[in-house]
Amino acid sequence: MKNDQYESLISSVAEKSYGILESFVDSDLLMNLRKILLSKLEEGEMHQAGVGRRYSFVENTKVRGDLISWIEPDNANLYEEMFFDWIDQFLTYLNQTCYTNLKGYEFHYAYYDIGSFYKRHLDQFKSDSGRKFSFVCYLNPHWDEKDGGQLVLYTPNEKKVIQPRAGTVCFFKSDEIEHEVLETLQPRLSITGWLKT
Ligand code: OGA
Ligand code: MN
């Protein structure tokens, strides 16, 4: 990402609590990350995501149906390193220009099989106030409106619908923006994470 792309995300977040880039184009990196996700899926390394301790496994799947795998910075492969370099640069830029005082991050791969969704929610839980910004990076080379699986952001002024297409990056305030993932009609791959204080 270039400084003007950082700037457009940041000014958009300042104005409406979210920002979207559609032209992020290291498609080589994205397609390699996609391959890694798919091999984890094949190896059985993707697992059912949790919602909260209060819920049982069955209740979880009524809220969200994605499979996830955390990306370990200490154990990252070449492409994951490239991804984290990019995030490091963005985090540094944010701290330098916005005094955000971010100290770290966490990211996971996410796989939504056909029929999966994630009901409307907020990413910041009472027990986890360290999550300041959510960051979603899609790994699907083709996506159509009819494929479902859109991310919907709910703001006081609008309902913003985002197609989960590779090259699109979505960035928003974790404690402000409620959002949901609509039922997907195609396998839907992404990397999702949080910048933390
Ligand atoms: C999440 C989430 C959005 C998306 O994982 O918390 O809301 O578009 N993901 O995958
Ligand atoms: Mn979320």
Side-chain angles (χ1 to χ4, degrees), residues 64 108 112 118-125 131 134 136 151 153 172 174 177-181 192 194:
R64 67 186 293 188
H108 63 59
Y112 288 74
Y118 193 159
K119 296 278 192 214
R120 182 168 171 168
H121 67 280
L122 207 57
D123 279 347
Q124 197 183 61
F125 310 106
R131 287 180 174 182
S134 305
V136 192
L151 172 65
L153 304 180
F172 56 90
S174 303
I177 300 285
E178 289 193 3
H179 55 284
E180 76 175 309
V181 177
T192 301
W194 294 272

Side-chain angles (χ1 to χ4, degrees), residues 1-3 6 24 26 29 33 71-74 76-94 105 107 135 191 195:
M1 260 189 336
K2 307 231 172 55
N3 280 4
Y6 295 149
F24 165 65
D26 189 347
L29 174 59
L33 292 167
I71 311 178
E72 307 291 345
D74 294 336
N77 60 44
L78 174 69
Y79 299 109
E80 292 167 345
E81 292 256 1
M82 289 167 72
F83 179 79
F84 283 138
D85 281 349
W86 168 42
I87 298 299
D88 280 325
Q89 281 170 30
F90 183 44
L91 188 146
T92 302
Y93 191 89
L94 267 168
Y105 49 72
F107 279 87
F135 190 104
I191 292 178
L195 307 187

